mmCIF file of all heavy atoms in Angstrom:
data_model
loop_
_atom_site.group_PDB
_atom_site.id
_atom_site.type_symbol
_atom_site.label_atom_id
_atom_site.label_comp_id
_atom_site.label_asym_id
_atom_site.label_seq_id
_atom_site.Cartn_x
_atom_site.Cartn_y
_atom_site.Cartn_z
ATOM 1 N N LEU T 1019 -53.133 50.423 -121.213
ATOM 2 C CA LEU T 1019 -52.769 49.667 -120.052
ATOM 3 C C LEU T 1019 -52.883 50.511 -118.834
ATOM 4 O O LEU T 1019 -52.971 51.719 -118.894
ATOM 5 C CB LEU T 1019 -51.343 49.130 -120.189
ATOM 6 C CG LEU T 1019 -50.177 50.015 -120.342
ATOM 7 C CD1 LEU T 1019 -49.645 50.395 -119.012
ATOM 8 C CD2 LEU T 1019 -49.126 49.345 -121.182
ATOM 9 N N LEU T 1039 -54.678 59.931 -121.265
ATOM 10 C CA LEU T 1039 -53.485 60.110 -122.097
ATOM 11 C C LEU T 1039 -53.213 58.849 -122.870
ATOM 12 O O LEU T 1039 -53.112 57.782 -122.276
ATOM 13 C CB LEU T 1039 -52.303 60.490 -121.224
ATOM 14 C CG LEU T 1039 -51.061 60.970 -121.952
ATOM 15 C CD1 LEU T 1039 -50.290 61.957 -121.159
ATOM 16 C CD2 LEU T 1039 -50.143 59.788 -122.336
ATOM 17 N N SER T 1049 -49.462 47.072 -147.185
ATOM 18 C CA SER T 1049 -48.915 46.819 -148.516
ATOM 19 C C SER T 1049 -48.326 45.392 -148.542
ATOM 20 O O SER T 1049 -47.738 44.908 -147.563
ATOM 21 C CB SER T 1049 -47.822 47.801 -148.867
ATOM 22 O OG SER T 1049 -47.079 47.360 -149.971
ATOM 23 N N GLY T 1057 -42.787 42.939 -133.161
ATOM 24 C CA GLY T 1057 -41.770 43.633 -132.312
ATOM 25 C C GLY T 1057 -41.524 45.050 -132.755
ATOM 26 O O GLY T 1057 -40.853 45.804 -132.060
ATOM 27 N N GLU T 1058 -42.012 45.404 -133.972
ATOM 28 C CA GLU T 1058 -41.722 46.811 -134.458
ATOM 29 C C GLU T 1058 -42.606 47.797 -133.698
ATOM 30 O O GLU T 1058 -42.369 48.988 -133.841
ATOM 31 C CB GLU T 1058 -42.003 46.848 -135.916
ATOM 32 C CG GLU T 1058 -40.969 46.179 -136.825
ATOM 33 C CD GLU T 1058 -41.255 46.327 -138.253
ATOM 34 O OE1 GLU T 1058 -42.375 46.593 -138.635
ATOM 35 O OE2 GLU T 1058 -40.293 46.164 -139.039
ATOM 36 N N SER T 1095 -52.594 53.592 -122.946
ATOM 37 C CA SER T 1095 -53.351 54.697 -122.432
ATOM 38 C C SER T 1095 -53.526 54.602 -120.950
ATOM 39 O O SER T 1095 -53.517 53.501 -120.403
ATOM 40 C CB SER T 1095 -54.703 54.850 -123.123
ATOM 41 O OG SER T 1095 -55.532 53.780 -122.712
ATOM 42 N N PHE T 1098 -55.752 59.742 -116.022
ATOM 43 C CA PHE T 1098 -55.175 60.441 -114.855
ATOM 44 C C PHE T 1098 -56.263 61.312 -114.226
ATOM 45 O O PHE T 1098 -56.986 62.046 -114.931
ATOM 46 C CB PHE T 1098 -54.009 61.342 -115.242
ATOM 47 C CG PHE T 1098 -52.793 60.607 -115.689
ATOM 48 C CD1 PHE T 1098 -52.616 60.322 -117.019
ATOM 49 C CD2 PHE T 1098 -51.825 60.285 -114.811
ATOM 50 C CE1 PHE T 1098 -51.479 59.636 -117.412
ATOM 51 C CE2 PHE T 1098 -50.677 59.653 -115.164
ATOM 52 C CZ PHE T 1098 -50.500 59.309 -116.496
ATOM 53 N N GLY T 1130 -35.873 63.753 -111.598
ATOM 54 C CA GLY T 1130 -34.910 64.776 -111.504
ATOM 55 C C GLY T 1130 -34.206 65.113 -112.832
ATOM 56 O O GLY T 1130 -33.201 65.916 -112.892
ATOM 57 N N LEU T 1139 -31.080 62.699 -124.730
ATOM 58 C CA LEU T 1139 -31.129 61.291 -124.510
ATOM 59 C C LEU T 1139 -30.924 60.441 -125.751
ATOM 60 O O LEU T 1139 -30.405 59.317 -125.686
ATOM 61 C CB LEU T 1139 -32.494 60.950 -123.855
ATOM 62 C CG LEU T 1139 -32.724 59.476 -123.472
ATOM 63 C CD1 LEU T 1139 -31.627 59.022 -122.537
ATOM 64 C CD2 LEU T 1139 -34.055 59.273 -122.856
ATOM 65 N N LEU T 1143 -28.965 56.754 -126.576
ATOM 66 C CA LEU T 1143 -29.652 55.576 -127.120
ATOM 67 C C LEU T 1143 -28.825 55.014 -128.329
ATOM 68 O O LEU T 1143 -29.008 53.840 -128.668
ATOM 69 C CB LEU T 1143 -31.060 55.970 -127.590
ATOM 70 C CG LEU T 1143 -32.079 56.129 -126.496
ATOM 71 C CD1 LEU T 1143 -33.418 56.623 -127.083
ATOM 72 C CD2 LEU T 1143 -32.294 54.846 -125.738
ATOM 73 N N THR T 1144 -28.043 55.790 -128.936
ATOM 74 C CA THR T 1144 -27.214 55.223 -130.071
ATOM 75 C C THR T 1144 -26.194 54.215 -129.582
ATOM 76 O O THR T 1144 -25.683 53.464 -130.375
ATOM 77 C CB THR T 1144 -26.507 56.387 -130.842
ATOM 78 O OG1 THR T 1144 -25.625 57.072 -129.883
ATOM 79 C CG2 THR T 1144 -27.491 57.353 -131.394
ATOM 80 N N GLN T 1146 -26.075 51.201 -128.472
ATOM 81 C CA GLN T 1146 -26.985 50.069 -128.347
ATOM 82 C C GLN T 1146 -26.517 49.067 -127.318
ATOM 83 O O GLN T 1146 -25.390 48.642 -127.325
ATOM 84 C CB GLN T 1146 -27.204 49.397 -129.684
ATOM 85 C CG GLN T 1146 -27.912 48.063 -129.671
ATOM 86 C CD GLN T 1146 -29.333 48.208 -129.125
ATOM 87 O OE1 GLN T 1146 -29.968 49.210 -129.351
ATOM 88 N NE2 GLN T 1146 -29.792 47.185 -128.444
ATOM 89 N N ASP T 1211 -32.477 39.355 -136.083
ATOM 90 C CA ASP T 1211 -31.353 38.473 -135.859
ATOM 91 C C ASP T 1211 -31.012 38.474 -134.386
ATOM 92 O O ASP T 1211 -29.996 39.111 -133.920
ATOM 93 C CB ASP T 1211 -30.135 38.911 -136.739
ATOM 94 C CG ASP T 1211 -29.035 37.859 -136.664
ATOM 95 O OD1 ASP T 1211 -29.278 36.761 -136.179
ATOM 96 O OD2 ASP T 1211 -27.924 38.196 -137.149
ATOM 97 N N VAL T 1224 -26.413 39.665 -142.067
ATOM 98 C CA VAL T 1224 -27.875 39.785 -141.974
ATOM 99 C C VAL T 1224 -28.510 38.506 -142.596
ATOM 100 O O VAL T 1224 -28.172 38.158 -143.684
ATOM 101 C CB VAL T 1224 -28.403 41.034 -142.753
ATOM 102 C CG1 VAL T 1224 -29.891 41.174 -142.622
ATOM 103 C CG2 VAL T 1224 -27.658 42.242 -142.238
ATOM 104 N N TYR T 1235 -32.199 47.245 -139.221
ATOM 105 C CA TYR T 1235 -32.638 48.538 -138.654
ATOM 106 C C TYR T 1235 -31.387 49.372 -138.318
ATOM 107 O O TYR T 1235 -30.382 48.832 -137.847
ATOM 108 C CB TYR T 1235 -33.439 48.332 -137.399
ATOM 109 C CG TYR T 1235 -34.666 47.466 -137.627
ATOM 110 C CD1 TYR T 1235 -34.551 46.063 -137.671
ATOM 111 C CD2 TYR T 1235 -35.911 48.048 -137.871
ATOM 112 C CE1 TYR T 1235 -35.715 45.281 -137.950
ATOM 113 C CE2 TYR T 1235 -37.042 47.265 -138.087
ATOM 114 C CZ TYR T 1235 -36.914 45.864 -138.130
ATOM 115 O OH TYR T 1235 -38.046 45.132 -138.394
ATOM 116 N N VAL T 1246 -23.651 53.636 -145.343
ATOM 117 C CA VAL T 1246 -23.696 52.257 -144.872
ATOM 118 C C VAL T 1246 -23.128 51.375 -145.974
ATOM 119 O O VAL T 1246 -23.532 51.562 -147.110
ATOM 120 C CB VAL T 1246 -25.105 51.852 -144.507
ATOM 121 C CG1 VAL T 1246 -25.168 50.390 -144.141
ATOM 122 C CG2 VAL T 1246 -25.687 52.685 -143.426
ATOM 123 N N ILE T 1279 -38.821 54.076 -143.811
ATOM 124 C CA ILE T 1279 -38.595 52.746 -144.396
ATOM 125 C C ILE T 1279 -37.888 52.952 -145.734
ATOM 126 O O ILE T 1279 -38.346 53.716 -146.576
ATOM 127 C CB ILE T 1279 -39.895 51.996 -144.611
ATOM 128 C CG1 ILE T 1279 -40.565 51.719 -143.244
ATOM 129 C CG2 ILE T 1279 -39.614 50.656 -145.297
ATOM 130 C CD1 ILE T 1279 -41.951 51.096 -143.377
ATOM 131 N N GLU T 1306 -51.353 49.446 -140.095
ATOM 132 C CA GLU T 1306 -51.057 48.022 -140.162
ATOM 133 C C GLU T 1306 -52.365 47.202 -140.270
ATOM 134 O O GLU T 1306 -53.385 47.583 -139.667
ATOM 135 C CB GLU T 1306 -50.299 47.557 -138.919
ATOM 136 C CG GLU T 1306 -49.880 46.101 -139.039
ATOM 137 C CD GLU T 1306 -49.226 45.612 -137.746
ATOM 138 O OE1 GLU T 1306 -49.215 46.338 -136.762
ATOM 139 O OE2 GLU T 1306 -48.708 44.504 -137.748
ATOM 140 N N SER T 1344 -62.632 25.709 -170.684
ATOM 141 C CA SER T 1344 -63.933 25.164 -170.970
ATOM 142 C C SER T 1344 -64.537 25.775 -172.171
ATOM 143 O O SER T 1344 -65.176 25.089 -173.004
ATOM 144 C CB SER T 1344 -64.873 25.385 -169.724
ATOM 145 O OG SER T 1344 -66.162 24.987 -170.010
ATOM 146 N N GLY T 1347 -61.035 25.752 -175.267
ATOM 147 C CA GLY T 1347 -60.164 24.595 -175.493
ATOM 148 C C GLY T 1347 -58.854 24.723 -174.893
ATOM 149 O O GLY T 1347 -58.349 25.748 -174.416
ATOM 150 N N LEU T 1376 -46.077 54.849 -152.631
ATOM 151 C CA LEU T 1376 -46.171 53.467 -153.141
ATOM 152 C C LEU T 1376 -47.429 53.341 -154.015
ATOM 153 O O LEU T 1376 -48.386 54.039 -153.895
ATOM 154 C CB LEU T 1376 -46.306 52.546 -151.985
ATOM 155 C CG LEU T 1376 -45.079 52.411 -151.025
ATOM 156 C CD1 LEU T 1376 -45.391 51.511 -149.842
ATOM 157 C CD2 LEU T 1376 -43.888 51.864 -151.768
ATOM 158 N N ASN T 1408 -57.909 53.303 -161.154
ATOM 159 C CA ASN T 1408 -57.967 51.990 -161.750
ATOM 160 C C ASN T 1408 -56.623 51.281 -161.584
ATOM 161 O O ASN T 1408 -55.572 51.899 -161.684
ATOM 162 C CB ASN T 1408 -58.299 52.101 -163.268
ATOM 163 C CG ASN T 1408 -59.739 52.465 -163.484
ATOM 164 O OD1 ASN T 1408 -60.572 51.609 -163.532
ATOM 165 N ND2 ASN T 1408 -60.027 53.750 -163.631
ATOM 166 N N GLY T 1446 -88.419 48.137 -177.207
ATOM 167 C CA GLY T 1446 -87.638 47.653 -176.054
ATOM 168 C C GLY T 1446 -86.665 48.731 -175.640
ATOM 169 O O GLY T 1446 -86.677 49.854 -176.121
ATOM 170 N N PRO T 1478 -57.612 45.922 -169.226
ATOM 171 C CA PRO T 1478 -57.617 47.306 -169.688
ATOM 172 C C PRO T 1478 -56.194 47.779 -170.018
ATOM 173 O O PRO T 1478 -55.224 47.254 -169.493
ATOM 174 C CB PRO T 1478 -58.206 48.077 -168.487
ATOM 175 C CG PRO T 1478 -57.665 47.310 -167.325
ATOM 176 C CD PRO T 1478 -57.635 45.876 -167.726
ATOM 177 N N ASN T 1496 -44.200 49.499 -155.779
ATOM 178 C CA ASN T 1496 -43.213 50.329 -155.146
ATOM 179 C C ASN T 1496 -43.287 51.787 -155.544
ATOM 180 O O ASN T 1496 -42.493 52.619 -155.105
ATOM 181 C CB ASN T 1496 -41.780 49.858 -155.516
ATOM 182 C CG ASN T 1496 -41.514 48.449 -155.034
ATOM 183 O OD1 ASN T 1496 -41.931 48.084 -153.901
ATOM 184 N ND2 ASN T 1496 -40.851 47.635 -155.850
ATOM 185 N N ILE T 1526 -52.912 36.380 -183.616
ATOM 186 C CA ILE T 1526 -53.497 35.663 -182.490
ATOM 187 C C ILE T 1526 -54.949 35.420 -182.663
ATOM 188 O O ILE T 1526 -55.568 34.584 -182.051
ATOM 189 C CB ILE T 1526 -53.249 36.410 -181.139
ATOM 190 C CG1 ILE T 1526 -53.847 37.768 -181.191
ATOM 191 C CG2 ILE T 1526 -51.730 36.421 -180.837
ATOM 192 C CD1 ILE T 1526 -53.704 38.503 -179.825
ATOM 193 N N LYS T 1554 -73.183 45.219 -182.223
ATOM 194 C CA LYS T 1554 -73.342 46.282 -183.242
ATOM 195 C C LYS T 1554 -74.882 46.599 -183.456
ATOM 196 O O LYS T 1554 -75.234 47.739 -183.533
ATOM 197 C CB LYS T 1554 -72.757 45.748 -184.576
ATOM 198 C CG LYS T 1554 -73.168 46.571 -185.787
ATOM 199 C CD LYS T 1554 -72.660 45.866 -187.089
ATOM 200 C CE LYS T 1554 -73.193 46.604 -188.324
ATOM 201 N NZ LYS T 1554 -72.699 45.923 -189.541
ATOM 202 N N GLU T 1579 -82.303 63.169 -177.107
ATOM 203 C CA GLU T 1579 -82.510 64.490 -176.524
ATOM 204 C C GLU T 1579 -83.072 64.346 -175.106
ATOM 205 O O GLU T 1579 -82.994 65.299 -174.316
ATOM 206 C CB GLU T 1579 -83.564 65.218 -177.395
ATOM 207 C CG GLU T 1579 -83.011 65.577 -178.785
ATOM 208 C CD GLU T 1579 -84.023 66.366 -179.626
ATOM 209 O OE1 GLU T 1579 -85.014 65.783 -180.102
ATOM 210 O OE2 GLU T 1579 -83.833 67.627 -179.707
ATOM 211 N N HIS T 1626 -68.687 51.473 -182.468
ATOM 212 C CA HIS T 1626 -69.776 52.418 -182.557
ATOM 213 C C HIS T 1626 -69.268 53.828 -182.485
ATOM 214 O O HIS T 1626 -68.266 54.119 -181.813
ATOM 215 C CB HIS T 1626 -70.764 52.167 -181.361
ATOM 216 C CG HIS T 1626 -71.775 53.284 -181.267
ATOM 217 N ND1 HIS T 1626 -71.657 54.286 -180.327
ATOM 218 C CD2 HIS T 1626 -72.939 53.536 -181.951
ATOM 219 C CE1 HIS T 1626 -72.672 55.099 -180.414
ATOM 220 N NE2 HIS T 1626 -73.452 54.696 -181.429
#
Side-chain angles (χ1 to χ4, degrees):
L1019 60 91
L1039 191 148
S1049 165
E1058 287 181 342
S1095 70
F1098 290 90
L1139 183 56
L1143 286 175
T1144 60
Q1146 168 62 32
D1211 189 10
V1224 183
Y1235 302 81
V1246 177
I1279 298 172
E1306 184 185 9
S1344 175
L1376 295 175
N1408 285 275
N1496 299 320
I1526 60 174
K1554 168 187 172 181
E1579 294 182 284
H1626 169 259

